[in-house]
Amino acid sequence: MKITMLFAIIFYLSSNAQTIYFPPITGDSWDTLSSISLGWDQTELENTYNYLKDYHTKAFIILKDGKIVVEWYFDSFNKDSTWYWASAGKTITALLVGIAQEEGYLNINDKSSVHLGKGWTSLTEEKEDLITIRHQLTMTTGLDDGVSDNGCTLKDCLQYKADAGTRWAYHNAPYTLLGKVIENATGQTRDVYTTLKLKNKIGMNGLWITYGYNEVYFSNARSMARFGLLISNNGIWDGEKIMNDEQYLSDMINTSQNLNISYGYLWWLNGKGHYMLPQSQIVFNTDLIPEAPDDVIAALGTNDQKIYISKSLGLVVIRMGNSALALSSFDNELWGHLMKAVGTSSSVEDINNVPSQFKLEQNYPNPFNPSTVISYKIQATSDVTLKVYDILGREVATLVNEYQQPGKYSVQFNAETRRGESLPSGVYFYQLKAVSFTEIKKLVLMK
């Protein structure tokens, strides 16, 4: 049976302003983008997949301008499975504190004792009164993080080490007590306040669960991605301001004190030149994640729970799973893979004029039948690839030297693809790479 096919060639136009997409707050629908259409390196993306699989990942998502480009699940984990955020959930608390301040329930310059009661530590009243909510947000309470249980919130565990504001130390207990600050200030539990002020507004699921002294957030991977998307868009979800205080939002994701300049309000910051780590007073004289863009901000949790945001690349990246690497070198290794896949590639929107040495040899006929050839006359004689991918990034056709002449390359659509199937209707992309030049075009096949 003869099949007539109509191909329309659609070029993406360059645009200075990117429109951020937001998924509906109910249901499962979420628009996607093909990594091929963005010019991402498919081999490096496959290497990233294998790396994540080898290092105990359960879920991995990449959003580009809000749309899903990568959504990978491993073993029995799926999009409905829930997992803990660990300390990455601290960033939710940071946002909630800001919302409570905006609503007039508290001020981050309040003494913590205003909301926790006098005597919430074992310190003298004079020293305790030095501690504010801001110090809890910035890990600068001066309380001793070297006690036997760093997470213990009992009075006897909260001991003096230094005056508030004079020492940075990653200390879970003062952070955990921010939950009590929110509850006592608003009259609502942290779970209820999270639901009303965040979850219901952006379509997240999940809940806070108490483990010993800690309160840990659990959700599915897409909810983590939704939260990252909200923060990447300055607290605005599809035109609705979840938080109006732009100054607080800015302070939250920028240097909050001069002791560890790679730390904001419970967010980690890249590109600052030096940083400190939990359970250490050593200052490392390098960026937090040298392989990542300088503007990356991160929510980091034990066992490598991650939210990374890069506004310059329009990316939100999340990872859930078991511990990957000791000492968290995982962050740098992962970004090494990611930047090879996405960091140096040209997006379709950035591809404009084709250099003369890569001349398309014929116009596209209508109808476009299986024997039609996409042909280029290319001066380069090496480092040339010309491939066709489907919307899932699977290669369906490759370069051949159709004319048996030096410098002439083509892709021919035969009746069957390399998978032994005829091409179904849908979206395809062909990608030409020659030396440092890349061109990507989108094909829409309608049978």
Side-chain angles (χ1 to χ4, degrees), residues 190-210:
R190 177 157 54 175
D191 214 36
V192 169
Y193 202 63
T194 303
T195 299
L196 294 175
K197 303 303 177 181
L198 181 61
K199 286 167 53 181
N200 289 351
K201 293 180 180 291
I202 70 171
M204 284 177 65
N205 70 7
L207 72 162
W208 295 96
I209 295 179
T210 301

Side-chain angles (χ1 to χ4, degrees), residues 34-45 64 69 312-313 315 337-351 431-433 436-440:
S34 166
S35 59
I36 297 296
S37 73
L38 295 168
W40 293 4
D41 189 303
Q42 299 304 296
T43 299
E44 293 297 346
L45 207 56
K64 168 65 175 171
V69 183
S312 65
L313 296 181
L315 298 182
H337 286 284
L338 287 176
M339 292 306 291
K340 288 178 183 177
V342 312
T344 58
S345 61
S346 298
S347 69
V348 174
E349 293 85 350
D350 294 331
I351 295 170
Q431 180 186 68
L432 167 69
K433 285 187 174 184
S436 61
F437 173 74
T438 300
E439 182 182 61
I440 301 166

